[in-house]
Amino acid sequence: MKTINKSIFKGRDFISLHDFSQDELSCILDVARELKEEQKAGRPHPVLQGKTLGMIFTKSSTRTRVSFEVGMYQLGGHALFLSGRDIQLGRGETIADTARVLSRMVDGIMIRTFSHQEVLDLAEFSSIPIINGLTDLLHPCQVLADLMTIQEHKGRLAGLKLAYIGDGNNMAHSLMYGGAKMGLHVVIASPPGYKPDPVVVAMAQADAKANGGSVEVVDDPLEAVKGADVLYTDVWASMGQEAEAKVRMAAFEGYQINSDVLKRADRSAIVLHCLPAHRGEEITDEVIEGVQSVVFDEAENRLHAQKAIMAVVM
């Protein structure tokens, strides 16, 4: 493995893509590509030999758990799964106390939870790097893998148009932050009442202006996808929103990525989805299984992108 100067990241938290510069994100993406090449070539890359990652899950996952656990193993370290039922957080211990204790036992913490404030509090009281595996506000690890996938299939990031169709949720927020930092033109199409957080939009627009991109929020999904290089969607009702499913189904009618919508994008457009997908709702089988879908390349890249995050901060 080539020597890449990671000293600028050592000990830093990975909580939001907004916290990193374009050069820093480009560096992490370079590390991800290199680690992927090492794995594909069958060359060991134990850059975290002897290190341990504590993984706190109060929100379950397939891709997040598997990618971090397998990734830590491939980097020569060990991942320790800690569910909300297994640690004292679930019995009333404070975030601050948990952070102080774990900081003396492990080398980094990945947390996947509902409240973004929990991640911020964990970072405040920890003396080791904190990685945001997902909150209701942001999903930076997923979007780093998305950027990696777009770069692989399009050869670049700057200047591309990314159209996201659906809920203005944590995915929309992190796509705006990541796209803005890397000079993409990001258009979010969400129905009234489900728009992204205006504070996040404003911050992403400022980042985009500084990096040659743009961020826009519209109502009309057909307007959003016109000429787009990348189409993206997510489920209409995320984990914890099951009680709203029927109301959301009605609100998001017309916000589906299907073959007719895909035809309005650029002819060489690629389709992304963070998974799990509710096929027949936000995306059709025809599209997700079609030749323009790179959804499973994207899912694989969760492994490589998260290995890069761990490698640089730990």
Side-chain angles (χ1 to χ4, degrees):
M1 183 176 174
K2 299 173 191 173
T3 301
I4 297 176
N5 182 5
K6 299 181 283 291
S7 60
I8 57 172
F9 299 105
K10 188 176 180 181
R12 285 181 67 178
D13 299 319
F14 190 86
I15 296 175
S16 171
L17 298 177
H18 178 68
D19 299 334
F20 295 85
S21 69
Q22 182 179 108
D23 287 346
E24 288 170 338
L25 290 178
S26 293
C27 179
I28 300 174
L29 288 168
D30 287 344
V31 174
R33 281 193 299 274
E34 186 178 348
L35 289 170
K36 185 173 182 176
E37 290 169 4
E38 295 292 297
Q39 185 201 3
K40 296 299 184 185
R43 293 189 291 265
H45 41 279
V47 298
L48 294 181
Q49 186 78 43
K51 301 275 189 177
T52 300
L53 176 75
M55 304 190 304
I56 299 174
F57 283 85
T58 64
K59 198 171 188 179
S60 61
S61 169
T62 300
R63 280 150 292 277
T64 299
R65 178 173 179 182
V66 173
S67 56
F68 273 104
E69 198 161 324
V70 171
M72 198 62 187
Y73 170 79
Q74 291 179 355
L75 292 172
H78 176 71
L80 186 64
F81 176 76
L82 305 168
S83 77
R85 296 183 301 274
D86 298 329
I87 59 177
Q88 297 302 321
L89 271 176
R91 298 177 62 189
E93 184 172 58
T94 67
I95 287 277
D97 287 353
T98 299
R100 291 186 182 109
V101 170
L102 291 180
S103 291
R104 293 171 180 240
M105 297 183 179
V106 300
D107 303 287
I109 298 171
M110 185 285 297
I111 178 169
R112 179 181 169 97
T113 189
F114 292 89
S115 167
H116 191 72
Q117 189 60 47
E118 286 185 5
V119 179
L120 299 178
D121 291 345
L122 195 63
E124 180 182 353
F125 292 100
S126 293
S127 58
I128 55 176
I130 303 301
I131 299 171
N132 177 8
L134 172 141
T135 67
D136 285 348
L137 182 70
L138 298 174
H139 198 354
C141 292
Q142 175 66 56
V143 172
L144 193 70
D146 298 337
L147 294 172
M148 181 181 181
T149 307
I150 295 166
Q151 208 167 43
E152 285 179 344
H153 285 271
K154 291 294 185 180
R156 63 188 176 102
L157 292 171
L160 295 176
K161 179 180 178 180
L162 184 151
Y164 171 89
I165 311 302
D167 191 13
N169 59 11
N170 50 7
M171 278 309 313
H173 293 160
S174 284
L175 283 167
M176 287 190 290
Y177 277 156
K181 289 288 185 178
M182 303 310 293
L184 278 79
H185 300 287
V186 181
V187 183
I188 306 292
S190 302
Y194 297 94
K195 302 290 186 191
D197 186 325
V199 174
V200 174
V201 174
M203 292 170 67
Q205 287 174 332
D207 282 342
K209 186 175 181 180
N211 290 290
S214 62
V215 171
E216 184 181 5
V217 178
V218 300
D219 293 328
D220 186 357
L222 298 182
E223 175 189 346
V225 301
K226 187 176 180 182
D229 302 288
V230 182
L231 271 61
Y232 203 116
T233 190
D234 188 14
V235 295
W236 293 339
S238 298
M239 192 181 303
Q241 298 172 333
E242 291 83 1
E244 306 171 29
K246 287 185 179 179
V247 174
R248 285 174 169 267
M249 285 281 284
F252 285 95
E253 186 177 357
Y255 286 80
Q256 181 188 74
I257 294 184
N258 51 43
S259 57
D260 290 336
V261 169
L262 186 55
K263 288 174 185 175
R264 295 173 181 265
D266 185 83
R267 290 181 64 185
S268 63
I270 58 174
V271 177
L272 300 178
H273 191 305
C274 54
L275 299 177
H278 292 172
R279 296 172 180 235
E281 293 182 14
E282 75 276 1
I283 193 167
T284 61
D285 265 325
E286 182 182 12
V287 170
I288 203 169
E289 298 292 350
V291 295
Q292 289 171 267
S293 171
V294 296
V295 166
F296 295 102
D297 291 345
E298 174 191 13
E300 178 193 339
N301 281 339
R302 287 291 303 277
L303 172 64
H304 309 299
Q306 282 154 199
K307 284 168 69 176
I309 295 166
M310 293 187 289
V312 299
V313 303
M314 293 174 64

